[in-house]
């Protein structure tokens, strides 16, 4: 397209992802021009320390972020991460009519409403495919392909670090702390792994997924969050014994009850059957299972992190917003019209697996079962095995509210016949 | 959006998919209005026999297709199938400035160039997510999400009937004809199964996938096509013996050679390792594996056919083109700028598995191996097993051109020491 006015791009941040974005923009310049209908030109790269970025053209580097955002660029690509100053920069860009492509899950999970409003005020685009599940095209399918369907459930493995640790515990039988140490040594876990292992990263992604799937504004604070630090080797062994495996899941569900529709959105470890498509997703891979009324079950699988995969998602969005500029169109806006309320975790329907060490004498099962009945929790399966002095009792429940299940477990733990509550874990991915 | 001008939709065809489209448009009217930004209104449904469609509003039915297409509708949705008269209708719609949503794979695989040109002449949209892999969001990811990446390979199970038959043969050991009979009885195969079992349906889809993945115009005639009628119980057993399973694959590959880049696009049965993500895709499900330079490996999995899943894909496209109308934007156009040539099958790089019954005497392997060497085909693995009178010899090659492999097999079949060529099948999905 010689003669076509180029689309000018400002890049904020030049770490692992940013460097790959620059590389792809350069290597594929001719292809991108043909796909967009105009050349895509990198106008500047904002970094803190220009002398630390020898792999990108020096003349593009600047420390003046505001100046770059306020210059005559068409698109601002943000790969810095964190809430501030990214929020301020992107609001300024959108208010200035610049389209925004960002990989910033934490920001989106907190401030998507404000960002979308700013985009709306000037007709700019806001795209963020790279914020969830890296290279896997997931947000565009939810936001566009399934826009004519009614999504009922999104359930996925969206954090590679925790999946690497849980896969490792499953294959070696080692403890959580040993496996975390190994993951850190291999570079799969950061020196401070809190954001990953405590589920903050997955919770941000769950908020974004729930917002798109249910056309409602869900923030990270709405997400019930449990990490994997309390997953024990005993939990993993208990799962194995039942043909299950433990995964950290981000779950977004539409719940229909007498009071109307609401959303359950949560991140916690859960046992899933080894035959479930998510069970085979190991190591640093991500996968998300989606259920919709008309489409049925779908799964999206691929690399959830890393410089090149994330950059691929950023570039896809960049081509989309650049095309929109060329044809004076625009992409989908925020769709939060349904405004479904988020259900507290206590009211979320879930199922528990409970593994107990109990005294090996008659009447134990009936005492334990009475506690379930008292809390109106129905039992789906029981397995009891005698040992020398004591016995193991494994119970899997039908669906009940999380609050009822939790009270049941608390009360059972206090029964004199129960020597130890060995493992308690939610069960997902099977018919109730 | 009260006061917003409605988006008027003409529906051509009202079979299984069309009926579901009408149902979803009706049931989800309020949601669709909110998502599009304007009401979506069904203006008419063109059918051949109006008295046969009691499940849709009688006042919408018409036999006057041309009149409906020429009326003041904004979007034409076509779910009739077949080349003509669908082609004429859709060209008329696009030339009239109406956007088109179609599920018609045969038409797209033959005439996409002409249709895209017509769309371009008036700035109308042409969307066709439902044409490949039913409800699985696949074309939008290829066309948009991966628009900034370099796709190297698309390989998938895109025909449910043949997958149902091959899954059945694998689990029962029954013959092709027995299993086809069963599939017909259960409604998984049509009375005339030619389009499915001979690979025509998959070849149309492969042409569409290759066009989008490689930004080139590929038609069904460019696709090398082999069906599953010649897959024998011996082939299935041979695959099992090697930890593999047989699938009908649609394969679109970017091939880089001294002469530059080209495309290999083909549909044929192939052995894949049982550990490959596509191996677990059974029955009527579809799945497509995509590899791109930056994104790495991805898989898309879900229901490949059926009224509701296909209607979900149609509705997603309908929301997209309706939104584009509301904001005066438009979706992606044809991207065929790369214009890569399609490589003849003889020059496609592939690998063979060959299972032979041979005389059990010294020197047989060296005679057979000499034929491979003569054709410059390198052997990856050999397994030889003696039996009472004869022996079985299983050979898996490294990658070579299909022509060299075919000549090798022909010559080996003529060796006096070879009693029978038991099974010859291509091998996919593993490192060479």
């Amino acid at each position: 397209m010689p003669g076509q006015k180029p689309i000018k791009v400002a890049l904020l941040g030049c770490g692992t992802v940013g460097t790959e974005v620059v590389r792809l923009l350069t290597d594929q310049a001719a292809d991108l021009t043909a796909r967009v209908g105009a050349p895509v030109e990198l106008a500047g790269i904002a970094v803190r320390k220009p002398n630390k970025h020898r792999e990108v053209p020096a003349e593009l580097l600047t420390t003046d972020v505001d100046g770059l955002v306020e210059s005559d660029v068409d698109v601002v690509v943000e790969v810095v991460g964190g809430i501030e100053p990214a929020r301020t920069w992107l609001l300024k860009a959108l208010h200035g009519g610049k389209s925004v492509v960002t990989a910033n899950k934490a920001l989106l999970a907190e401030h998507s409403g404000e960002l979308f409003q700013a985009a709306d005020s000037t007709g700019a685009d806001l795209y963020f495919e790279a914020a969830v599940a890296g290279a896997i095209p997931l947000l565009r399918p939810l936001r566009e392909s399934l826009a004519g369907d009614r999504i009922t459930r999104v359930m996925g493995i969206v954090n590679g670090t925790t999946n690497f640790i849980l896969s490792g515990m499953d294959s070696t039988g080692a403890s959580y702390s040993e496996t975390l140490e190994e993951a850190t040594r291999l570079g799969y876990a950061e020196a401070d792994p809190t954001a990953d292992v405590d589920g903050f990263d997955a919770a941000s992604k769950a908020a974004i997924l729930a917002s798109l799937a249910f056309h409602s504004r869900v923030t990270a604070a709405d997400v019930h969050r449990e990490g994997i630090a309390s997953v024990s080797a005993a939990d993993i062994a208990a799962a194995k014994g039942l043909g299950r495996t433990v995964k950290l899941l981000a779950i977004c569900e539409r719940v229909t009850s007498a009071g109307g529709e609401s959303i359950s959105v949560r991140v916690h470890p859960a046992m899933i059957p080894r035959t479930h498509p998510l069970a085979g997703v190991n190591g640093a891979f991500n996968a998300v299972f989606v259920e919709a009324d008309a489409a049925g079950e779908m799964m999206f699988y691929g690399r959830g992190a890393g410089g090149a995969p994330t950059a691929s998602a950023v570039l896809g969005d960049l081509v989309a917003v650049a095309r929109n500029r060329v044809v004076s169109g625009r992409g989908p806006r925020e769709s939060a019209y349904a405004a479904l309320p988020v259900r507290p975790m206590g009211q979320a329907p879930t199922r528990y697996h409970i593994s107990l060490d109990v005294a090996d004498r008659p009447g134990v099962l009936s005492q334990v079962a009475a506690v379930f009945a008292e809390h109106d929790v129905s039992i789906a399966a029981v397995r009891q095995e005698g040992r020398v002095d004591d016995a193991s009792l494994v119970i899997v429940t039908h669906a009940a509210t999380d609050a009822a299940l939790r009270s049941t477990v608390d009360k059972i733990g206090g029964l004199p016949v129960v020597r130890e509550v060995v493992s308690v874990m939610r069960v997902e991915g099977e018919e109730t």
Side-chain angles (χ1 to χ4, degrees), chain A:
Chain A
M1 327 283 134
Q4 262 285 6
K5 204 168 139 273
I7 302 294
K8 292 190 182 175
V9 178
L11 177 63
L12 312 187
C14 199
T16 325
V17 176
T19 309
E20 280 297 313
V21 168
V22 175
R23 189 184 64 78
L24 291 172
L25 276 174
T26 313
D27 288 2
Q28 310 198 50
D31 282 306
L32 293 172
T33 300
R35 294 175 194 180
V36 168
V40 179
E41 191 181 294
L42 195 53
I45 308 172
V47 295
R48 261 189 299 188
K49 297 180 179 163
N51 58 340
K52 286 215 166 169
H53 297 272
R54 305 197 188 282
E55 67 290 351
V56 299
E59 68 277 15
L60 293 178
L61 292 168
T62 175
T63 55
D64 178 13
V65 188
D66 289 308
L68 181 59
V69 169
E70 283 162 9
S71 69
D72 69 336
V73 296
D74 301 283
V75 184
V76 173
V77 174
E78 183 263 322
V79 289
V80 174
I83 307 273
E84 285 294 355
R87 175 179 154 272
T88 304
W89 292 336
L90 296 190
L91 285 172
K92 179 178 282 186
L94 292 166
H95 282 303
K98 277 95 174 154
S99 289
V100 162
V101 174
T102 171
N104 194 326
K105 53 199 164 266
L107 178 61
L108 261 302
E110 294 276 356
H111 297 285
S112 66
E114 188 183 19
L115 291 165
F116 271 118
Q117 272 166 13
D120 257 13
S121 71
T122 58
D125 274 335
L126 173 61
Y127 277 64
F128 45 95
E129 181 69 67
V132 182
I136 311 173
L138 176 63
L139 303 192
R140 186 172 274 104
L142 289 179
R143 215 176 164 188
E144 304 182 42
S145 308
L146 293 165
D149 208 331
R150 184 173 170 275
I151 296 172
T152 50
R153 193 176 162 87
V154 178
M155 176 166 96
I157 296 167
V158 295
N159 180 275
T161 304
T162 48
N163 198 46
F164 181 85
I165 294 170
L166 292 173
S167 300
M169 289 174 71
D170 187 87
S171 65
T172 63
S175 73
Y176 166 73
S177 53
E178 283 165 347
T179 316
L180 170 60
E181 213 168 280
E182 173 78 358
T184 310
R185 206 177 53 76
L186 294 171
Y188 285 101
E190 297 190 36
D192 175 1
T194 314
D196 293 315
V197 299
D198 288 349
F200 289 101
D201 174 81
S204 291
K205 291 165 177 171
I208 296 171
L209 291 172
S211 300
L212 298 180
F214 304 129
H215 302 272
S216 298
R217 203 178 282 171
V218 178
T219 66
D222 295 322
V223 182
H224 174 84
R225 179 185 50 77
E226 297 172 30
I228 63 164
S230 61
V231 176
S232 65
D235 292 327
I236 303 279
K240 273 194 166 171
L242 294 162
R244 299 191 176 98
T245 186
V246 177
K247 296 290 186 188
L248 182 71
L249 299 179
I251 301 171
C252 316
E253 273 179 331
R254 187 189 288 271
V255 182
T256 308
S257 66
E261 288 204 323
S262 58
I263 301 171
S264 170
V265 53
R266 52 195 204 263
V267 169
H268 56 69
M271 288 186 184
I272 58 172
R274 282 191 184 266
T275 52
H276 192 280
L278 290 177
V281 178
N282 286 321
F285 276 85
N286 279 195
V288 177
F289 205 74
V290 178
E291 291 174 44
D293 274 352
E297 298 175 342
M298 285 152 281
M299 194 172 82
F300 302 81
Y301 170 90
R303 290 182 190 276
T310 309
S312 170
V314 167
L315 265 279
D317 279 354
L318 179 54
V319 167
V321 304
R323 266 180 190 160
N324 288 344
R325 292 266 148 173
V326 171
V327 301
S328 305
R330 60 177 299 197
R333 302 154 67 177
E334 181 182 31
S335 179
Y337 72 91
L340 297 182
V342 174
R343 223 174 162 80
M345 186 60 191
Q347 291 172 31
T350 174
R351 300 175 66 197
Y352 272 32
H353 156 276
I354 302 154
S355 177
L356 306 169
D357 264 2
V358 295
D360 190 11
R361 59 167 185 258
V364 171
L365 179 56
S366 88
Q367 283 188 49
V368 170
V371 180
F372 282 88
E374 211 176 281
H375 290 86
D376 225 10
V377 174
S378 168
I379 292 174
V382 173
R383 204 175 64 178
Q384 192 164 14
E385 267 169 35
R387 291 196 298 246
V388 180
D389 238 353
D390 57 1
S392 100
L393 186 59
V394 174
I395 296 158
V396 180
T397 74
H398 281 299
T401 65
D402 200 71
L405 288 161
R406 194 132 295 276
S407 311
T408 307
V409 171
D410 285 349
K411 181 129 185 213
I412 283 172
L415 290 180
V417 295
V418 173
R419 299 196 176 160
E420 193 194 348
V421 178
V422 179
S423 168
V424 176
M425 190 156 285
R426 296 191 187 86
V427 175
E428 294 286 342
E430 34 195 305
E431 294 306 312
T432 53

Short mmCIF file of all heavy atoms in Angstrom, two decimals, chain A residues 273-296:
data_model
loop_
_atom_site.label_atom_id
_atom_site.label_comp_id
_atom_site.label_asym_id
_atom_site.label_seq_id
_atom_site.Cartn_x
_atom_site.Cartn_y
_atom_site.Cartn_z
N PRO A 273 -11.40 -35.30 36.96
CA PRO A 273 -11.12 -36.66 36.49
C PRO A 273 -9.95 -36.66 35.51
O PRO A 273 -9.79 -35.72 34.73
CB PRO A 273 -12.41 -37.05 35.73
CG PRO A 273 -13.43 -36.04 36.11
CD PRO A 273 -12.72 -34.82 36.53
N ARG A 274 -9.15 -37.71 35.56
CA ARG A 274 -8.01 -37.79 34.63
C ARG A 274 -8.47 -37.88 33.18
O ARG A 274 -7.68 -37.67 32.26
CB ARG A 274 -7.14 -39.02 34.95
CG ARG A 274 -6.27 -38.75 36.15
CD ARG A 274 -5.20 -39.79 36.40
NE ARG A 274 -4.51 -39.42 37.61
CZ ARG A 274 -3.39 -38.69 37.63
NH1 ARG A 274 -2.80 -38.32 36.54
NH2 ARG A 274 -2.86 -38.36 38.79
N THR A 275 -9.72 -38.21 32.96
CA THR A 275 -10.26 -38.28 31.59
C THR A 275 -10.74 -36.92 31.09
O THR A 275 -11.09 -36.78 29.93
CB THR A 275 -11.46 -39.25 31.57
OG1 THR A 275 -12.38 -38.84 32.60
CG2 THR A 275 -11.04 -40.67 31.82
N HIS A 276 -10.79 -35.92 31.95
CA HIS A 276 -11.24 -34.60 31.53
C HIS A 276 -10.17 -33.95 30.63
O HIS A 276 -8.99 -34.10 30.90
CB HIS A 276 -11.48 -33.72 32.77
CG HIS A 276 -12.22 -32.45 32.46
ND1 HIS A 276 -11.61 -31.34 31.93
CD2 HIS A 276 -13.53 -32.12 32.60
CE1 HIS A 276 -12.51 -30.39 31.76
NE2 HIS A 276 -13.69 -30.83 32.16
N PRO A 277 -10.60 -33.26 29.57
CA PRO A 277 -9.61 -32.65 28.66
C PRO A 277 -8.60 -31.75 29.38
O PRO A 277 -7.46 -31.65 28.95
CB PRO A 277 -10.47 -31.82 27.70
CG PRO A 277 -11.81 -32.46 27.71
CD PRO A 277 -11.98 -33.06 29.07
N LEU A 278 -8.99 -31.12 30.49
CA LEU A 278 -8.04 -30.25 31.19
C LEU A 278 -6.99 -31.04 31.96
O LEU A 278 -5.94 -30.50 32.31
CB LEU A 278 -8.77 -29.32 32.16
CG LEU A 278 -9.64 -28.21 31.56
CD1 LEU A 278 -10.35 -27.43 32.67
CD2 LEU A 278 -8.81 -27.26 30.71
N ALA A 279 -7.27 -32.33 32.24
CA ALA A 279 -6.35 -33.12 33.05
C ALA A 279 -5.02 -33.33 32.34
O ALA A 279 -3.97 -33.43 32.97
CB ALA A 279 -6.97 -34.46 33.42
N GLY A 280 -5.06 -33.40 31.02
CA GLY A 280 -3.84 -33.66 30.25
C GLY A 280 -3.01 -32.42 29.96
O GLY A 280 -2.02 -32.48 29.26
N VAL A 281 -3.44 -31.28 30.50
CA VAL A 281 -2.72 -30.03 30.25
C VAL A 281 -1.62 -29.88 31.29
O VAL A 281 -1.89 -29.58 32.44
CB VAL A 281 -3.70 -28.83 30.30
CG1 VAL A 281 -2.96 -27.52 30.10
CG2 VAL A 281 -4.79 -29.01 29.26
N ASN A 282 -0.40 -30.16 30.89
CA ASN A 282 0.69 -30.21 31.86
C ASN A 282 1.70 -29.10 31.67
O ASN A 282 1.73 -28.43 30.65
CB ASN A 282 1.38 -31.58 31.78
CG ASN A 282 0.51 -32.65 32.42
OD1 ASN A 282 -0.13 -32.41 33.44
ND2 ASN A 282 0.45 -33.81 31.79
N GLY A 283 2.51 -28.93 32.70
CA GLY A 283 3.61 -27.97 32.63
C GLY A 283 3.11 -26.57 32.42
O GLY A 283 2.12 -26.15 33.01
N ALA A 284 3.81 -25.83 31.55
CA ALA A 284 3.54 -24.41 31.40
C ALA A 284 2.39 -24.11 30.43
O ALA A 284 2.13 -22.96 30.12
CB ALA A 284 4.80 -23.70 30.96
N PHE A 285 1.71 -25.16 29.95
CA PHE A 285 0.61 -24.91 29.03
C PHE A 285 -0.64 -24.42 29.76
O PHE A 285 -0.81 -24.66 30.95
CB PHE A 285 0.28 -26.16 28.21
CG PHE A 285 1.17 -26.30 27.00
CD1 PHE A 285 2.42 -26.89 27.10
CD2 PHE A 285 0.78 -25.78 25.78
CE1 PHE A 285 3.26 -26.98 26.00
CE2 PHE A 285 1.60 -25.87 24.66
CZ PHE A 285 2.84 -26.47 24.78
N ASN A 286 -1.48 -23.70 29.05
CA ASN A 286 -2.77 -23.22 29.54
C ASN A 286 -3.86 -23.87 28.70
O ASN A 286 -3.64 -24.25 27.55
CB ASN A 286 -2.91 -21.71 29.36
CG ASN A 286 -2.21 -20.88 30.44
OD1 ASN A 286 -2.47 -19.70 30.57
ND2 ASN A 286 -1.32 -21.50 31.21
N ALA A 287 -5.04 -23.99 29.26
CA ALA A 287 -6.19 -24.44 28.48
C ALA A 287 -7.45 -23.95 29.16
O ALA A 287 -7.51 -23.88 30.39
CB ALA A 287 -6.21 -25.96 28.37
N VAL A 288 -8.43 -23.60 28.36
CA VAL A 288 -9.68 -23.11 28.91
C VAL A 288 -10.84 -23.84 28.24
O VAL A 288 -10.88 -23.98 27.02
CB VAL A 288 -9.80 -21.58 28.71
CG1 VAL A 288 -11.14 -21.09 29.22
CG2 VAL A 288 -8.67 -20.86 29.43
N PHE A 289 -11.72 -24.32 29.07
CA PHE A 289 -12.88 -25.08 28.67
C PHE A 289 -14.07 -24.13 28.74
O PHE A 289 -14.25 -23.44 29.75
CB PHE A 289 -13.03 -26.20 29.72
CG PHE A 289 -13.74 -27.39 29.23
CD1 PHE A 289 -13.13 -28.27 28.36
CD2 PHE A 289 -15.04 -27.65 29.65
CE1 PHE A 289 -13.79 -29.40 27.91
CE2 PHE A 289 -15.71 -28.78 29.20
CZ PHE A 289 -15.08 -29.65 28.33
N VAL A 290 -14.84 -24.07 27.68
CA VAL A 290 -15.98 -23.15 27.63
C VAL A 290 -17.24 -23.95 27.30
O VAL A 290 -17.21 -24.84 26.46
CB VAL A 290 -15.76 -22.05 26.55
CG1 VAL A 290 -16.95 -21.11 26.46
CG2 VAL A 290 -14.48 -21.27 26.83
N GLU A 291 -18.32 -23.65 28.01
CA GLU A 291 -19.60 -24.28 27.68
C GLU A 291 -20.61 -23.20 27.36
O GLU A 291 -20.74 -22.21 28.08
CB GLU A 291 -20.12 -25.10 28.86
CG GLU A 291 -19.29 -26.34 29.15
CD GLU A 291 -19.74 -27.06 30.42
OE1 GLU A 291 -20.97 -27.20 30.60
OE2 GLU A 291 -18.86 -27.42 31.23
N ALA A 292 -21.34 -23.41 26.25
CA ALA A 292 -22.37 -22.45 25.87
C ALA A 292 -23.61 -23.24 25.47
O ALA A 292 -23.52 -24.40 25.05
CB ALA A 292 -21.89 -21.58 24.71
N ASP A 293 -24.77 -22.61 25.60
CA ASP A 293 -26.03 -23.32 25.33
C ASP A 293 -26.08 -23.95 23.96
O ASP A 293 -26.38 -25.13 23.82
CB ASP A 293 -27.21 -22.34 25.47
CG ASP A 293 -27.68 -22.22 26.90
OD1 ASP A 293 -27.19 -23.00 27.75
OD2 ASP A 293 -28.54 -21.36 27.18
N ALA A 294 -25.80 -23.18 22.93
CA ALA A 294 -25.92 -23.71 21.57
C ALA A 294 -24.64 -24.39 21.10
O ALA A 294 -24.67 -25.46 20.51
CB ALA A 294 -26.33 -22.60 20.59
N ALA A 295 -23.52 -23.81 21.40
CA ALA A 295 -22.24 -24.33 20.88
C ALA A 295 -21.81 -25.62 21.59
O ALA A 295 -21.08 -26.42 21.03
CB ALA A 295 -21.14 -23.29 21.01
N GLY A 296 -22.27 -25.82 22.82
CA GLY A 296 -21.83 -27.00 23.57
C GLY A 296 -20.47 -26.76 24.20
O GLY A 296 -20.15 -25.62 24.56
#
